[in-house]
Amino acid sequence: MEPGGLEWLLVPVQQLVSWGAAGAMVFGGVVPYIPQYRDIRRTQNAEGFSTYVCLVLLVANILRILFWFGRRFESPLLWQSIIMIITMLLMLKLCTEIRVSNELNVKRRSFAAADSKDEEIKAPPKRSYLDFDLNYFWHWSKFTDYVQCVLTFTGVTGYITYLWLDSSLFVETLGFLAVFTEAMLGVPQLYRNYQNRSTEGMSIKMVLMWTSGDTFKTVYFILNQAPFQFSICGLLQVFVDIAILLQVYLYSHYPQKPVSHTAHPASTKAL
């Protein structure tokens, strides 16, 4: 076959591979949460999943979208952030509904003030405009409170970004914060496993998909010459994933006595 004919075949193949890699980047990040979502719905128990994972990913992807306005990176990475934000909101909605339905404590916690009709009869409303308590941050009783918090964060950071968009130092720092926050994704789950001295309730499939996805993502960053912050923090994310897999091995082969949580009310338990 002539060289020209071979090149004619390679070009569409390379294009297909490029499209496949872009599609994997856009949707691959949400795949690990599908088995976890199904397990939570099936068991009606969200204790094994830390919703701080949702917080980390929401912050990271909001910052990444804002970073895009200052430095236009590849569009698949932008769409990945949009899809991930939607996925994390769905995870939060499910976990909040299940936690509240299983919670015996009638006290309701919220990010913002609510109407009296939203309060339990046994607990009359005593609210300021913002019923904000750090002890109950990200442990609110309604999904709408999480949405309000996310919108507030987006509005504040978006306004600051608009004011400083012409500063290259600010833009590069914003990009670093975005990917560094995402690199810390597994830390809440790592800490929760350490607290419980167990990985029970955590989807091992999810962590395996994290590891494979983060490895693919880091290689994608390097090959496509993405901003250097993406590659460095991608490597850090892979190391955290490996640490969680080591916990799975250690706690399954050398089980330890779980830490007692009896001293804490149900509403303060991290999810």
Side-chain angles (χ1 to χ4, degrees):
M1 181 178 294
E2 295 181 0
L6 184 60
E7 183 178 351
W8 179 81
L9 290 174
L10 286 177
V11 169
V13 170
Q14 290 174 345
Q15 189 65 48
L16 286 174
V17 171
S18 176
W19 289 344
M25 282 301 302
V26 173
F27 297 103
V30 306
V31 172
Y33 300 97
I34 295 176
Q36 183 72 72
Y37 186 92
R38 294 179 62 185
D39 287 345
I40 292 173
R41 282 189 65 90
R42 178 177 54 83
T43 63
Q44 291 295 294
N45 184 354
E47 286 291 329
F49 177 73
S50 173
T51 53
Y52 282 110
V53 169
C54 300
L55 174 61
V56 170
L57 279 174
L58 285 169
V59 170
N61 285 282
I62 289 169
L63 293 180
R64 185 195 286 184
I65 291 174
L66 295 176
F67 177 52
W68 182 84
F69 287 99
R71 184 173 177 182
R72 301 297 176 90
F73 48 80
E74 288 194 332
S75 57
L77 298 179
L78 177 64
W79 281 106
Q80 180 199 43
S81 292
I82 296 172
I83 298 296
M84 183 61 74
I85 288 172
I86 295 172
T87 302
M88 289 302 101
L89 290 175
L90 291 174
M91 288 291 295
L92 270 177
K93 186 174 187 298
L94 176 65
C95 291
T96 303
E97 290 174 351
I98 290 177
R99 174 169 58 83
V100 172
S101 66
N102 294 336
E103 194 175 63
L104 299 178
N105 194 342
V106 297
K107 178 64 177 177
R108 292 294 183 250
R109 299 288 174 176
S110 65
F111 173 74
D115 297 333
S116 59
K117 65 182 180 181
D118 294 327
E119 296 294 326
E120 294 287 340
I121 296 177
K122 296 181 181 180
K126 292 181 180 180
R127 295 292 181 90
S128 60
Y129 178 69
L130 288 182
D131 186 16
F132 189 81
D133 186 343
L134 281 177
N135 294 324
Y136 294 92
F137 177 76
W138 213 248
H139 298 288
W140 301 308
S141 304
K142 297 178 67 176
F143 172 66
T144 52
D145 291 301
Y146 293 94
V147 175
Q148 290 171 2
C149 181
V150 170
L151 291 176
T152 300
F153 175 79
T154 304
V156 171
T157 53
Y159 180 68
I160 294 173
T161 301
Y162 173 75
L163 294 178
W164 291 87
L165 200 58
D166 293 332
S167 170
S168 59
L169 177 61
F170 174 83
V171 170
E172 293 300 326
T173 302
L174 183 66
F176 174 77
L177 289 176
V179 292
F180 181 76
T181 303
E182 186 175 359
M184 296 294 100
L185 166 64
V187 172
Q189 193 68 55
L190 188 74
Y191 180 66
R192 182 171 184 81
N193 295 342
Y194 172 77
Q195 276 189 316
N196 295 341
R197 300 293 193 273
S198 170
T199 55
E200 183 179 357
M202 181 193 74
S203 173
I204 298 177
K205 291 180 181 178
M206 179 185 71
V207 181
L208 288 172
M209 290 179 181
W210 272 358
T211 308
S212 59
D214 292 338
T215 302
F216 169 81
K217 181 171 62 179
T218 303
V219 172
Y220 181 91
F221 291 157
I222 295 172
L223 293 180
N224 287 275
Q225 298 180 339
F228 75 97
Q229 302 101 317
F230 284 57
S231 301
I232 292 177
C233 292
L235 289 172
L236 179 58
Q237 199 167 355
V238 172
F239 291 145
V240 174
D241 296 339
I242 293 174
I244 296 177
L245 290 176
L246 286 175
Q247 283 184 325
V248 174
Y249 173 80
L250 289 175
Y251 293 147
S252 61
H253 288 78
Y254 306 98
Q256 303 178 41
K257 184 178 179 180
V259 177
S260 174
H261 297 287
T262 55
H264 303 281
S267 60
T268 63
K269 292 174 69 176
L271 281 178

